[in-house]
């Protein structure tokens, strides 16, 4: 999913991701320093989001604070998580000859202790590190810094499945629900 096409601006998408996944009650100057966009670009998109009734700007004596409106916050969060999931699926399809399967977890609304579980075929450490870095980069694009990701070899997965390991069985049970 190309969120920039949907929202019409990469700056706007970055502002929404920042407000959803990093913090609210932020000023335009803080957005400028955090997002690496120019102040005029941020101001234009913030005004556009305010006129679209997506955000509120609290104008007080100490400055302006930007927040998402509560009634659209959950909908936008679901949409952005859909975008995040789509980008991860695209990444995994790039490495489909290396990745046997993957499972989405806690941050995607699935009742697992981990956010992402990746089962890989015989990979060397440099290949695993490259995939891990790509996953981390995708989450960082969404301003999500802390993610619990489990990498497990297919052999270990099968062994733990045969031994009725609780972690593996929980994943399989959750997947069927």
């Amino acid at each position: 999913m190309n969120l920039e096409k949907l929202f019409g601006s990469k700056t706007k998408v970055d502002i929404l991701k920042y407000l959803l996944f990093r913090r609210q009650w932020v000023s335009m100057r803080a957005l400028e320093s955090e997002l690496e966009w120019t102040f005029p670009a941020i101001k234009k998109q913030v005004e556009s989001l305010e006129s679209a009734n997506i955000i509120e700007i609290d104008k007080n004596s100490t400055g302006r604070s930007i927040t998402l409106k509560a009634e659209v916050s959950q909908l936008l969060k679901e949409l952005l998580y859909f975008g995040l999931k789509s980008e991860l699926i695209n990444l995994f399809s790039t490495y489909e000859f290396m990745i046997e399967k993957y499972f989405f977890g806690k941050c995607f609304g699935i009742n697992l202790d981990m956010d992402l579980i990746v089962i890989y075929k015989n990979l060397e450490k440099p290949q695993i590190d490259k995939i891990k870095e790509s996953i981390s980069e995708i989450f960082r694009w969404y301003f999500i810094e802390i993610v619990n990701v489990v990498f497990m070899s297919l052999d270990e997965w099968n062994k733990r499945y045969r031994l009725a390991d609780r972690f593996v069985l929980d994943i399989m049970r959750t997947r069927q629900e």
Side-chain angles (χ1 to χ4, degrees):
M1 165 179 246
N2 189 336
L3 293 171
E4 289 82 23
K5 294 286 185 190
L6 176 65
F7 289 107
S9 163
K10 180 150 177 38
T11 308
K12 191 180 292 182
V13 172
D14 284 350
I15 291 168
L16 291 171
K17 288 190 288 192
Y18 187 89
L19 292 171
L20 277 166
F21 300 120
R22 177 74 52 90
R23 69 182 177 127
Q24 301 249 355
W25 300 102
V26 63
S27 70
M28 283 191 253
R29 290 288 179 199
L31 285 172
E32 177 187 23
S33 67
E34 293 278 334
L35 299 180
E36 300 175 5
W37 290 103
T38 64
F39 185 80
I42 290 172
K43 185 176 187 305
K44 177 182 176 185
Q45 297 308 323
V46 164
E47 288 170 353
S48 172
L49 288 167
E50 183 182 31
S51 67
N53 221 12
I54 302 293
I55 62 169
E56 292 178 330
I57 302 175
D58 182 22
K59 301 168 186 160
N60 59 37
S61 60
T62 59
R64 297 174 178 219
S65 298
I66 303 166
T67 59
L68 280 169
K69 289 198 168 194
E71 55 271 18
V72 297
S73 182
Q74 187 59 37
L75 292 170
L76 285 172
K77 189 174 245 182
E78 288 175 24
L79 183 63
L80 291 177
Y81 269 119
F82 178 78
L84 171 63
K85 196 174 191 179
S86 297
E87 289 187 42
L88 288 168
I89 290 169
N90 287 340
L91 172 72
F92 297 146
S93 68
T94 303
Y95 294 107
E96 68 184 332
F97 58 95
M98 297 179 199
I99 296 176
E100 178 68 24
K101 51 185 137 188
Y102 50 88
F103 304 96
F104 295 103
K106 181 174 48 183
C107 76
F108 297 96
I110 297 169
N111 190 22
L112 290 173
D113 291 335
M114 299 294 142
D115 295 314
L116 184 62
I117 299 103
V118 179
I119 312 302
Y120 62 89
K121 300 173 193 170
N122 302 316
L123 292 179
E124 299 297 322
K125 183 161 175 32
Q127 295 167 316
I128 294 171
D129 290 342
K130 182 174 170 79
I131 295 170
K132 284 180 181 179
E133 182 55 38
S134 295
I135 290 170
S136 294
E137 193 173 296
I138 290 171
F139 276 99
R140 277 194 300 271
W141 289 336
Y142 284 80
F143 301 103
I144 300 172
E145 297 292 329
I146 299 173
V147 182
N148 295 317
V149 180
V150 171
F151 268 76
M152 187 183 302
S153 72
L154 182 58
D155 292 339
E156 182 180 352
W157 172 267
N158 290 335
K159 177 183 171 188
R160 290 175 77 169
Y161 183 76
R162 282 190 308 275
L163 295 172
D165 179 77
R166 182 177 175 191
F167 177 71
V168 171
L169 293 178
D170 283 347
I171 294 168
M172 297 305 290
R173 191 175 310 111
T174 304
R175 186 172 159 212
Q176 291 174 353
E177 291 175 356

